[in-house]
Amino acid sequence: MFTYSTGVSLDGFVADAHGSLDWLFAADHDPEGPGGFAAFDATIGAMVMGRTTYDFVEHALAESGEPWPHRQPTWVLTHREPPAVPLGDGITFTDAPIPEVAAAMRAAAGDLDCWIVGGGQVATAFAEAGLLDEVIVAIAPVVLGAGTPVITTRLDLELVAVERNRDLAVLRYRVVRPA
Amino acid sequence: MFTYSTGVSLDGFVADAHGSLDWLFAADHDPEGPGGFAAFDATIGAMVMGRTTYDFVEHALAESGEPWPHRQPTWVLTHREPPAVPLGDGITFTDAPIPEVAAAMRAAAGDLDCWIVGGGQVATAFAEAGLLDEVIVAIAPVVLGAGTPVITTRLDLELVAVERNRDLAVLRYRVVRPA
């Protein structure tokens, strides 16, 4: 199963107009709490993200001095040259078609699920390929007014769960596929 | 108190790219249930909406043959000519400045609250005038990908309540004013 799980503003942006996530990091939450990252992470066997997201993480880790925090094999979708030194082991930079990447991820994940980290372009590409099964949004208490959209294609959903984790409202949806 | 209460898509649109609310009306909910309209309506003593919203309601009532469903005095913000026959009694068409409209609404509402029905432009105007106290969104299970934004200015919020009403996630926020 492919799950797009991301933080969003109340108006559906995953980054503000300057590409910043300060508004998301400012939201208090308990990673061990309802809809938190700890339980989610345990279900994930492979990850995929776009190059903008990867570069954002690279910049953040350079600033904090922390290591790459993920144990899962990770695919980074990019048409650009891979970095000379990747952030961690098991990171594959690729411009392969989505179905091909998805197949490799499924094989790597085994019985676990696959996490579409973002951003919106990658999630939209998986959705348009019919490969998005679930959407989880952790809604931060802010309206940004502008930014990077969470998804840019129409998607019918079924509400599965509604939870609160301190400042965050965490909503989980199943993607409804055309019959 | 001025409350902007509206239906939204998961990506923060109050109408789709064609101005339609079909996606919202398709969402199952119980008006008497958690975060439902019945309890909210009882707290409201005055309403304000933009002309696009008013025209939408006029069109919908013409199609359904139903009467204007609101008992509260209502202000419609417009620079255009008022309609020859308003939908109901107690509807004021005005191009007065927001603070002036707000004062008239407060006087009419007495101990009750004021409902900013929408759309996004009206809510943004109230927010920018420092006259928005609360935001309530009923999130329908759909990503639209494009449409009319819920608000187009930055707004810091505090999460007050998270509820589920069948297909809808209903989130209530207090607007955090700059100190």
Side-chain angles (χ1 to χ4, degrees):
Chain A
M1 186 171 71
F2 288 86
T3 299
Y4 179 31
S5 178
T6 185
V8 295
S9 65
L10 184 57
D11 48 346
F13 297 113
V14 295
D16 72 16
H18 309 289
S20 170
L21 296 183
D22 289 351
W23 52 274
L24 181 61
F25 298 143
D28 184 32
H29 73 285
D30 174 7
E32 311 286 334
F37 185 72
F40 175 72
D41 188 53
T43 70
I44 297 302
M47 297 165 40
V48 61
M49 64 182 70
R51 185 65 179 269
T52 304
T53 301
Y54 178 85
D55 289 348
F56 181 91
V57 173
E58 183 174 59
H59 184 75
L61 295 181
E63 292 225 319
S64 69
E66 286 170 31
W68 175 250
H70 303 290
R71 59 185 164 71
Q72 296 93 344
T74 299
W75 280 258
V76 178
L77 304 186
T78 185
H79 297 291
R80 286 188 279 133
E81 195 68 19
V85 183
L87 288 170
D89 293 333
I91 302 180
T92 304
F93 295 83
T94 179
D95 61 356
I98 296 288
E100 197 176 303
V101 175
M105 291 178 67
R106 265 206 206 93
D111 290 340
L112 295 175
D113 293 327
C114 298
W115 178 20
I116 300 167
V117 180
Q121 273 187 296
V122 172
T124 301
F126 272 79
E128 288 178 341
L131 287 166
L132 180 59
D133 300 290
E134 206 181 50
V135 176
I136 303 175
V137 289
I139 302 176
V142 64
V143 173
L144 293 173
T148 306
V150 60
I151 294 180
T152 54
T153 190
R154 163 106 189 197
L155 208 57
D156 288 304
L157 303 169
E158 180 189 323
L159 182 58
V160 174
V162 174
E163 293 181 295
R164 177 176 185 167
N165 186 322
R166 298 185 186 168
D167 285 351
L168 300 176
V170 184
L171 311 185
R172 177 187 287 252
Y173 293 93
R174 194 176 66 78
V175 175
V176 178
R177 295 223 165 68
Chain B
M1 185 171 74
F2 288 86
T3 299
Y4 178 31
S5 178
T6 186
V8 295
S9 66
L10 184 57
D11 49 345
F13 296 112
V14 295
D16 73 16
H18 309 288
S20 169
L21 296 183
D22 290 350
W23 52 274
L24 180 61
F25 297 144
D28 184 32
H29 73 285
D30 175 7
E32 311 286 334
F37 185 71
F40 175 73
D41 188 53
T43 69
I44 298 303
M47 296 166 41
V48 62
M49 64 181 71
R51 185 64 180 270
T52 304
T53 302
Y54 177 86
D55 288 348
F56 181 91
V57 174
E58 183 174 59
H59 184 74
L61 296 182
E63 291 226 319
S64 70
E66 285 170 32
W68 176 249
H70 304 289
R71 58 185 164 70
Q72 297 92 343
T74 299
W75 280 257
V76 178
L77 305 187
T78 186
H79 296 291
R80 288 187 278 133
E81 196 68 20
V85 183
L87 287 170
D89 293 335
I91 303 179
T92 304
F93 296 83
T94 178
D95 61 356
I98 296 288
E100 196 176 304
V101 174
M105 290 177 68
R106 265 205 207 92
D111 290 340
L112 295 176
D113 293 327
C114 298
W115 179 19
I116 301 167
V117 180
Q121 273 187 299
V122 172
T124 301
F126 272 79
E128 289 179 340
L131 287 165
L132 181 60
D133 300 290
E134 206 180 52
V135 176
I136 303 174
V137 289
I139 303 177
V142 65
V143 173
L144 293 173
T148 307
V150 59
I151 294 180
T152 55
T153 189
R154 164 105 189 197
L155 209 57
D156 289 305
L157 303 168
E158 180 190 323
L159 183 57
V160 174
V162 175
E163 293 181 294
R164 177 176 185 166
N165 186 321
R166 299 185 185 167
D167 285 350
L168 301 176
V170 183
L171 311 184
R172 177 187 286 253
Y173 293 94
R174 194 177 66 77
V175 175
V176 178
R177 294 222 166 67

